[in-house]
Amino acid sequence: MQKILFIDRDGVILKEPHDEQCDRIEKMTFLPGVFYYLGEIARKLDYLLVMVTNQDGLGTEKYPEKDFWPIQELMIRSLNGEDIYFDQVCIDRSFSYENSPYRKPGIGMLSKYNNGSYDLENSFVIGDRITDMQLADNL
């Protein structure tokens, strides 16, 4: 069965800005070593890569989609240029107070991988927050 690395975006692939919102290209910075280490994982290990990210309020007036997608697409193109591909990019737009089952640490947006066809026992979550550790427990 296929093992999976569930990888957070902000704070793991991209440096998280002080205001916690990577909403302009000027604020987009890859963390040091991310291309090398993710590239090594993608090329040498037998893990499916899945990006799992909470993007509070994406699509609202305070965080319009027109600000998010250019950054997201540039990040994905940059990673693809280094042969780093994600099987799926899972994005939750809700706020924590909404208690959505799709928001990390909930597993709602990962139902594709929670059906017994994947080796979740030997899979990992890579993240920078307690919700990422809770996601791993929930999976």
Side-chain angles (χ1 to χ4, degrees):
M1 287 199 305
Q2 179 68 57
K3 298 176 288 187
I4 305 169
L5 286 180
F6 297 99
I7 303 171
D8 183 33
R9 185 187 102 144
D10 302 328
V12 175
I13 296 173
L14 299 178
K15 182 177 179 184
E16 189 163 36
H18 295 294
D19 64 3
E20 297 184 351
Q21 202 72 276
C22 190
D23 53 5
R24 292 192 321 272
I25 293 285
E26 303 81 49
K27 292 166 71 176
M28 180 182 157
T29 305
F30 286 94
L31 283 171
V34 75
F35 290 105
Y36 175 77
Y37 291 110
L38 271 182
E40 288 288 290
I41 289 169
R43 286 184 292 277
K44 295 182 179 178
L45 301 178
D46 187 30
Y47 283 90
L48 198 62
L49 304 181
V50 175
M51 186 182 300
V52 185
T53 181
N54 291 338
Q55 294 295 319
D56 297 11
L58 176 60
T60 64
E61 187 175 307
K62 288 188 82 167
Y63 195 16
E65 299 221 18
K66 70 176 180 55
D67 295 340
F68 174 79
W69 288 111
I71 295 162
Q72 179 70 15
E73 290 166 2
L74 176 58
M75 178 194 64
I76 293 295
R77 279 194 319 272
S78 299
L79 292 166
N80 289 170
E82 297 295 321
D83 293 325
I84 301 165
Y85 299 95
F86 290 91
D87 181 64
Q88 186 174 8
V89 176
C90 302
I91 301 170
D92 181 75
R93 304 159 173 260
S94 69
F95 292 97
S96 58
Y97 65 81
E98 295 177 89
N99 296 314
S100 169
Y102 296 94
R103 181 183 176 83
K104 290 186 299 179
I107 60 171
M109 65 179 157
L110 302 175
S111 59
K112 170 183 177 179
Y113 304 103
N114 200 19
N115 64 10
S117 299
Y118 295 89
D119 184 2
L120 294 183
E121 186 70 28
N122 292 299
S123 295
F124 295 93
V125 175
I126 301 173
D128 64 328
R129 295 181 185 245
I130 190 75
T131 52
D132 297 307
M133 289 189 290
Q134 292 167 334
L135 175 67
D137 285 341
N138 292 340
L139 284 166

